[in-house]
Amino acid sequence: MGRYLAYAASLLLTLLTLALALRWPQWGWATLVFGLLALLGSWDLLQTRSTLRRNYPILAHFRYGLESVGPEIRQYFIEGDTAEVPFSRQQRSLVYQRAKGVMDVVPFGSQQDVYSVDYEWINHSMAPASIDSHDFRIVIGAACAQPYSASVFNISAMSFGSLSANAVRALNEGARRGNFYHDTGEGSISPYHREKGGDLVWEIGSGYFGCRDEHGRFSEARFVENAQTSQVKMIELKLSQGAKPGHGGVLPAVKVSREIAATRGVPMGHDCVSPASHSAFSTPVGLLQFVARLRELSGGKPTGFKLAIGHPWEWFGIAKAMHETGLLPDFIVVDGAEGGTGAAPAEFIDHVGVPMHEALLLVHNTLIGLGLRDRIRIGAAGRITSAFDIARTMAMGADWCNAARGFMFALGCIQSMSCHTDRCPTGVATQDPRRWRSLDVADKSVRVQQFHDNTLKALRDMLCAAGLEHPQQLGPEHILRRVSPTEVRSLASIYRFVEFGELLDRIPAHAVFRDFWADARSDSFAAPRKVSALCDSKDR
């Protein structure tokens, strides 16, 4: 009967305080409190949807309350400083310190377990280098009419709609101040992207927002209208994203505000659908033809695509199409399956897509093997917050890095994990004006710029210590990883790297190439016959 004790006590106390209130009115507040608890307990007993509440009237609500604040309790009081779930307190603190421009040095030694498996570091040199500037840049689209000199660290794709108006303003002003780019995300170019004048990379997804006709198909005329503005520096076609590759999405009609409708070119009062696949092409060759057309329509701006790697034969089909047709993207952005700022089903967040390290290596190796790597730049995104993250990623094959959640932290994000609820406590990921208007654009834009600037200063210092002069000189031999308590190996010896032009003569002795390269097709994304045969075997 102990489970009904709280309910019984509320009934008895209601009656007792009622009797007291009849004589001494000041007891009325107690009668109200215990009476409400008694009503809650009675409702718990009468309802049929929750067995827990029927068996534990009133008490069940204490469990719900504790459960609702469980993430905050764990984050602030239980989790260690280095527990990455998804970002550790140490990672977040580093971003906050650099964004605020305060001291970011660490006393009394590393909190990392340097003898644990997977611990990584960069070796220093006995002959350190000296680098005057930390403004490391890479030219993208050198053969284009309008090549772009990009920073090696930029803001990854986050749409207006998922981010608030003031968050977009602050990010773009920070990018303008720091001379780096701001990817619009597939939600198109909003007035808030244009307001501050920072460099933009226009991301175009399968919904063709900002360049679609009334039926949701790609519109050349509307594309030209946005693409040829001077603020847009590059065009990025999104094939898939790390958070939910191959999924698509729907913004419900109730959330399609007048501003979002105007920005995306969709009608109000209707669901805003982002399909899982593109309608403008259906084959690898078609993809490259579309990229070439976008480059032409933009006036010769660097044009490429972003993808999260999935079936390897599909990527190999794109690579073969490049080799066969000579149609090349100016860049490829590899998005890791580590997740991103967008909400997605748990299975997609945890178990769909290739993580960034392996995906980046596959793209880099394939282009090396075809002799195309020097003509196509590679960007990479996936949980990048520090200078070492940038160094490791570039050592594994990237030319530059993008970060989304890192710049959200710079805006003041506290990792409350409420991005999908429209109740973001810091005004970053919400469309509620009562919340986002509290985000001070002038202050946060400085923090965005300082996070970028101080991170690249740290990268410069690491490169100097390693005896290097530019992050492009980083290779897999520079990064070391502990693979067991007694064994350390460089990334160059852990991963297999394809030789330049090797795919033109033979299939490398690399499992993924051996299994799927020969069967990949430039005219289709379809699975190889042997893969289809394995699927068909279930029906026999």
Side-chain angles (χ1 to χ4, degrees), residues 157 159 183-188 203-207 209 238 241 264 274:
S159 299
D183 192 310
T184 66
E186 67 175 307
S188 192
E203 181 179 271
I204 299 171
S206 55
F209 301 130
K238 192 198 87 168
Q241 67 185 75
R264 300 193 178 193
S274 184

Side-chain angles (χ1 to χ4, degrees), residues 144-168:
C144 291
Q146 301 184 58
Y148 180 60
S149 176
S151 169
V152 298
F153 189 40
N154 302 282
I155 301 172
S156 195
M158 294 181 283
S159 299
F160 168 60
S162 61
L163 296 190
S164 68
N166 275 7
V168 172

